[in-house]
Every structure is written in structure tokens, then in C-alpha cells.
Amino acid sequence: MIDTNLASFDADVLAVSHQVPVLVDFWAPWCGPCNVLGPLLEKLEAEAQGRIRLVKINADENAQLCAEYGVRSLPTVVAFVDGEPADQFVGALPEGQLRAFIDRVVPNPAQMARRVARQALQEGKPEVARDALQAALALDPAHDDVRLDLVDVLLGMGDVESARTELTLLSPRTAASGDARIAALTTRIAAAEQASHLPPARELLARVQTQPDNLQARLDLANRYLADRAYEPALQALLDIVQRDRTFGDDVGRNSMLAIFEALSEIDPATVAAWRRKLSAALN
């Protein structure tokens, strides 16, 4: 438990809430129910063993924060998750209701691992993301969403063999579900495996420039770009194939573009929308 104020609120609450839920207890020394609730919250924070963080704010000294978060009665407890208020309650709840409130806002181990992994990737720490996801799978090997996250991370680290192995460990139900994310990851794995035998992109680009009708060279270039996560150059190379010969490789140009769209649909929807329009124009 720590005390905070306006000056340190962002660091103590908003930043930390990207790692674990933060319970902010708005209280005052004269408030009787506050003095009942506070010790209970501290007890539950200790029991949680790091799964939550308790922060106390003296409402008498922090009127601006109270106004910003709509605190009109004391005590008020606001739970912050990923930098935003996620839930709250007013008054001194009994211990059973407090536990239920905490259970609602505290993610399960798999959710925690995915949150830690996302944050680690944003910070350029793929090894931390990999370790967090592997730890979650050790507790719950059947959690396919975590396993798919791990495949994505492993591919980003260049560990194609491990990524393919993890993909084979999906539950039969998920593997047969036709999930677009699985198709996208499978395409990336295939591209990475092919790219491992290919020269650098600059050599492949030179080959395409000197042999513009060599569609295999364009596909090789697309796979090289895709393995390097250079998505837009990969899409351009694939679109060139679609425009020249739809039948090449059983329509590999279009099918590969669709797989990339699925891979990017959540992280870069604007790029997906732009390239879908280009593909549609090429097909029509």
C-alpha cells in the first residue's frame, strides 16, 4: 500500500495499472467507514501476493483527483486496469463483497501473461514476453489463445522451429476451427521457412527488376519481406503477382494477401483497409 497525490498519480496508478490492477482508495481521516475499509483492503492486498496494488488518496488534500474521477462520497474505491477506471464501489463493503470485487478486476494467470507480454513487446523485450507466455502455458497447457500469442512472439524472434512446434500443440478443436489467426500464423511460418533459404531482400528485388515476369522471384521477395515483417512491401509484391497471373501457384498471391490481412487486422486496420481496396481493384 502506498499514498499518492496529483503529482505522482500517473506513475503510481496509471502506469502500474498496465501491469496489475490498481485499487485507489479515496478516503479521509475523519471518515469512520474509511477507517474500517482501509485495513480490510490492506489485508486483501497482502493476500493477493502482487496480483493487485492498493493506493490511498486523501480526498481532503486532492480535490482535483476527486473531481476528475467523480468521487462524491467516502470511501470510494476505483479499480484501474490498463490506465483506465474499470470498476468502482462506494462505502465500506464487507470482506466477502470486497473479495468478489477484487475477483472481478483481477485477471486470471493467462490474462496477466498476455498483458505482460503485450507490454514487454511494446518495450522491445520479446524474451520477457516469451517467458511470461510460457509460464502461463505451464499452468494451463490448454489455453490456446496464449499459445497463439507465443507462436507470434517466437516468429518475431526468428525461432521458426519452436513456433511450428507450438502450433502443433493447439487443441484439436481450435486447430480445426478455421480460425483466421491460425491461418495467418501458418502463412508466416511457411514464409519464414522459405525465407531461410533465400538471399537478402535487396538481391531478390534486383532479380525482380531485371526479370519482371518472373513470378517466383516476386513470391520469393514477398516471403522475404513477410519473414522480416515488412508487410507493405510484401503486399505490393503479392499484388503484382495477382495483377500478372491469378493462376500462379493456385492463386498464391491473393491467398497470401488475405492471410496478411488477418495477421494485421487488429494491429493495423488502416493498412489492411487500404490494401483490401487495392486487391479489390485488381480483381475487378
Side-chain angles (χ1 to χ4, degrees), residues 34-280:
C34 297
N35 294 323
V36 173
L37 179 65
L40 275 176
L41 288 173
E42 292 176 29
K43 171 188 172 183
L44 296 180
E45 180 194 30
E47 289 182 5
Q49 297 182 328
R51 293 188 303 133
I52 61 170
R53 178 75 59 82
L54 175 62
V55 174
K56 296 178 72 68
I57 293 179
N58 187 326
D60 289 345
E61 299 172 356
N62 293 277
Q64 183 173 334
L65 285 173
C66 290
E68 183 172 350
Y69 293 103
V71 176
R72 296 180 176 84
S73 300
L74 299 180
T76 291
V77 174
V78 182
F80 286 80
V81 177
D82 291 336
E84 299 289 341
D87 204 348
Q88 70 178 61
F89 67 84
V90 178
L93 299 183
E95 184 171 332
Q97 292 183 34
L98 280 179
R99 290 184 182 277
F101 177 83
I102 290 172
D103 286 343
R104 288 202 305 272
V105 299
V106 173
N108 62 41
Q111 292 171 320
M112 283 290 293
R114 299 184 81 188
R115 178 175 291 125
V116 169
R118 286 196 299 270
Q119 185 68 22
L121 291 174
Q122 291 174 4
E123 296 172 355
K125 301 175 181 177
E127 295 84 0
V128 174
R130 177 199 60 200
D131 293 348
L133 295 169
Q134 287 176 336
L137 285 172
L139 295 173
D140 184 5
H143 204 298
D144 287 336
D145 285 336
V146 173
R147 196 172 299 280
L148 289 172
D149 286 352
L150 178 59
V151 172
D152 193 16
V153 170
L154 291 170
L155 280 173
M157 296 175 67
D159 191 350
V160 181
E161 182 177 351
S162 294
R164 180 174 284 284
T165 298
E166 291 294 340
L167 206 59
T168 66
L169 297 177
L170 291 171
S171 67
R173 182 175 182 177
T174 298
S177 67
D179 189 318
R181 189 180 180 194
I182 297 175
L185 289 170
T186 301
T187 297
R188 285 181 56 199
I189 288 173
E193 289 176 337
Q194 294 177 37
S196 66
H197 306 292
L198 294 173
R202 63 179 180 277
E203 293 184 24
L204 292 168
L205 182 58
R207 187 180 303 172
V208 167
Q209 290 171 340
T210 57
Q211 304 172 40
D213 294 327
N214 186 340
L215 299 188
Q216 183 59 52
R218 292 185 183 276
L219 181 59
D220 289 345
L221 179 61
N223 284 327
R224 177 76 269 174
Y225 282 140
L226 184 55
D228 294 339
R229 289 195 170 192
Y231 292 113
E232 292 207 61
L235 287 166
Q236 182 61 64
L238 293 168
L239 183 63
D240 290 340
I241 294 173
V242 171
Q243 292 171 327
R244 283 169 167 78
D245 186 356
R246 281 285 307 279
T247 66
F248 176 74
D250 292 329
D251 206 7
V252 67
R254 183 183 68 88
N255 291 332
S256 296
M257 289 185 74
L258 294 177
I260 295 174
F261 294 160
E262 294 298 338
L264 295 181
S265 60
E266 293 187 5
I267 61 175
D268 195 352
T271 293
V272 170
W275 283 93
R276 280 192 186 278
R277 289 193 293 271
K278 294 180 181 181
L279 177 59
S280 178

